[in-house]
Amino acid sequence: MKRSHTFERRIQRYLCTYIMKIQVSDKAHQWYIEEMGLEKGDGVRFFGKVYGKTEVHDNFSVAINIDQPNDPLVTESVDGITYFIEKSDEWFFRGYNFHVEYNEQLDEVTYHFVK
């Protein structure tokens, strides 16, 4: 019996929802608070945007904005701030855990896609 594309997509979403993780280091979290003026109750959305490059994407890079989860694929809360990826952005993060770290030399956050 051949599996439908819809069934496979549901399975992939299930796996991303229950296996995929966001990990934000303490230093990256502090950087976001200082640079973006975040307060408890705020949310930071990660998503893919055209142009740039990541460790696993050509012509796409990571974008962020202050937002609240609407239909989250995965969330990570640190000190009352919610970091999240929406289900509509699954295509960009599929198959990876997403790690956010602070690079002291560059004084900015860096993004890592980890299998």
Side-chain angles (χ1 to χ4, degrees):
M1 183 175 175
K2 187 176 180 181
R3 290 184 178 166
S4 72
H5 176 71
T6 303
F7 175 75
E8 289 177 0
R9 184 142 173 89
R10 281 189 213 150
I11 294 296
Q12 182 63 42
R13 281 191 177 155
Y14 174 83
L15 292 174
C16 282
T17 300
Y18 293 101
I19 296 175
M20 181 187 175
K21 296 187 186 317
I22 296 175
Q23 182 179 334
V24 179
S25 74
D26 290 339
K27 288 183 179 182
H29 173 66
Q30 288 303 316
W31 186 88
Y32 281 120
I33 289 171
E34 293 168 12
E35 291 294 317
M36 299 176 75
L38 297 176
E39 299 177 354
K40 285 185 180 183
D42 285 338
V44 176
R45 177 183 175 197
F46 299 102
F47 58 99
K49 68 173 185 171
V50 177
Y51 301 115
K53 184 177 173 130
T54 72
E55 299 167 335
V56 297
H57 303 94
D58 287 326
N59 302 316
F60 292 94
S61 59
V62 176
I64 61 168
N65 66 359
I66 298 174
D67 202 352
Q68 291 297 317
N70 181 38
D71 191 19
L73 177 67
V74 63
T75 64
E76 172 73 16
S77 292
V78 181
D79 298 331
I81 296 171
T82 303
Y83 297 91
F84 68 97
I85 296 167
E86 289 287 329
K87 286 181 183 174
S88 61
D89 298 309
E90 172 212 5
W91 65 272
F92 189 74
F93 299 94
R94 183 181 305 132
Y96 298 96
N97 287 321
F98 184 63
H99 293 189
V100 183
E101 298 175 5
Y102 174 72
N103 182 317
E104 291 184 30
Q105 290 179 328
L106 299 175
D107 188 29
E108 63 185 33
V109 293
T110 57
Y111 304 110
H112 302 284
F113 294 79
V114 180
K115 281 274 186 188

